[in-house]
């Protein structure tokens, strides 16, 4: 399956056609492997083969949705992250699936996977403009339980975090407390910082 990312175009498309013919018979890990490979494909492969590639992508997404609970969280989160990044770069609709995004959020919350897992999901979803108030409320709770989750973040992480709230135009019940914890982060007070990144952070925080 990983051969999809490299090699001769005709061979690649023959392989994709063969994989597509198998429909939704793959297990969840097979579907994840195929999706990882499709996400790494060079855009030129899509120009004349969009229909076949989209069909294979749709088959895999269907498998991921139907067999979501059969995968461990890390594998599923990585697959969704790759899909959303591909969607953001290529704007190919097949790589964005709202039910799958909702499932990964639900998995974080119902299994109480903690701040780090929730942050990674927030980062991925924010990148494509997807908002989950439930996820923001869960993150709010985890920060209050352990403020160090936020007070030790790096600048890039802080920007991603605040962008999630800014995109949603939403303040959780502990937002004022969270803002004070944010300002305690030493990154914001370091003498060595890039002005444009700090400016972006401040604008998002307002």
């Amino acid at each position: 399956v990983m051969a999809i990312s490299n090699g001769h175009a005709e061979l690649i498309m023959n392989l994709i056609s063969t994989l597509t013919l198998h429909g939704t018979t793959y297990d969840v890990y097979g579907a994840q492997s195929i999706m990882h490979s499709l996400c790494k494909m060079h855009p030129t492969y899509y120009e004349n083969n969009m229909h076949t590639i989209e069909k294979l992508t749709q088959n895999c997404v269907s498998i991921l949705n139907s067999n979501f609970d059969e995968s461990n969280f890390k594998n599923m989160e990585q697959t969704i992250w790759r899909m959303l990044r591909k969607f953001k770069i290529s704007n190919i609709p097949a790589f964005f699936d709202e039910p799958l995004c909702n499932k990964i959020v639900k998995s974080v919350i119902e299994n109480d996977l903690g701040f780090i897992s929730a942050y990674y999901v927030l980062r991925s979803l924010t990148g494509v403009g997807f908002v989950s108030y439930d996820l923001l409320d869960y993150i709010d709770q985890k920060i209050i339980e352990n403020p160090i989750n936020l007070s030790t973040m790096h600048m890039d992480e802080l920007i991603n975090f605040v962008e999630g709230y800014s995109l949603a135009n939403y303040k959780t019940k502990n937002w004022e407390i969270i803002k004070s914890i944010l300002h305690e982060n030493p990154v914001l007070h370091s003498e060595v910082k890039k002005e444009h990144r700090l400016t972006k952070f401040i604008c998002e925080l307002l």
Side-chain angles (χ1 to χ4, degrees):
V1 172
M2 298 307 294
I4 291 177
S5 302
N6 304 287
H8 193 273
E10 184 177 353
L11 175 62
I12 290 174
M13 290 315 304
N14 285 340
L15 178 55
I16 288 176
S17 296
T18 300
L19 291 171
T20 304
L21 290 175
H22 286 276
T24 57
T25 60
Y26 303 101
D27 65 17
V28 67
Y29 293 110
Q32 288 171 347
S33 178
I34 293 171
M35 288 302 301
H36 288 192
S37 298
L38 289 172
C39 289
K40 291 190 291 185
M41 282 181 62
H42 193 275
T44 54
Y45 289 120
Y46 290 89
E47 293 176 0
N48 300 314
N49 305 286
M50 183 64 73
H51 176 73
T52 302
I53 293 174
E54 282 194 329
K55 181 58 179 175
L56 179 56
T57 303
Q58 290 165 0
N59 289 346
C60 290
V61 168
S62 177
I63 294 169
L64 296 178
N65 271 303
S66 299
N67 302 279
F68 186 93
D69 293 334
E70 295 179 14
S71 170
N72 64 56
F73 175 81
K74 183 178 180 180
N75 283 7
M76 189 63 77
E77 186 272 328
Q78 279 291 306
T79 301
I80 294 173
W81 172 73
R82 291 173 187 271
M83 289 172 59
L84 295 180
R85 186 176 62 171
K86 184 69 173 182
F87 171 72
K88 184 177 180 179
I89 294 172
S90 67
N91 201 33
I92 298 174
F95 287 101
F96 174 79
D97 186 73
E98 184 172 344
L100 203 54
C101 292
N102 286 324
K103 282 176 184 281
I104 198 71
V105 169
K106 183 179 179 182
S107 178
V108 169
I109 297 171
E110 290 191 349
N111 296 300
D112 195 14
L113 297 180
F115 176 81
I116 299 300
S117 294
Y119 165 76
Y120 285 135
V121 171
L122 176 68
R123 181 186 62 178
S124 296
L125 299 182
T126 300
V128 296
F130 186 90
V131 171
S132 170
Y133 299 118
D134 289 339
L135 182 62
L136 294 174
D137 286 335
Y138 177 79
I139 290 173
D140 173 286
Q141 173 192 332
K142 291 300 154 185
I143 293 172
I144 297 304
E145 290 176 3
N146 189 7
I148 198 172
N149 284 323
L150 193 58
S151 62
T152 58
M153 275 185 154
H154 299 300
M155 177 59 78
D156 285 338
E157 295 170 332
L158 289 175
I159 291 173
N160 290 330
F161 170 81
V162 177
E163 280 180 339
Y165 283 82
S166 176
L167 176 67
N169 192 26
Y170 179 64
K171 294 181 180 180
T172 54
K173 66 178 182 179
N174 295 304
W175 176 245
E176 293 303 319
I177 298 175
I178 289 174
K179 276 178 49 174
S180 68
I181 297 171
L182 276 168
H183 285 296
E184 292 173 5
N185 191 307
V187 170
L188 298 181
H189 309 287
S190 172
E191 294 180 3
V192 182
K193 48 182 173 274
K194 296 181 180 179
E195 291 184 1
H196 69 282
R197 297 171 74 196
L198 183 61
T199 301
K200 181 179 180 182
F201 174 79
I202 292 172
C203 289
E204 293 288 351
L205 188 58
L206 294 177

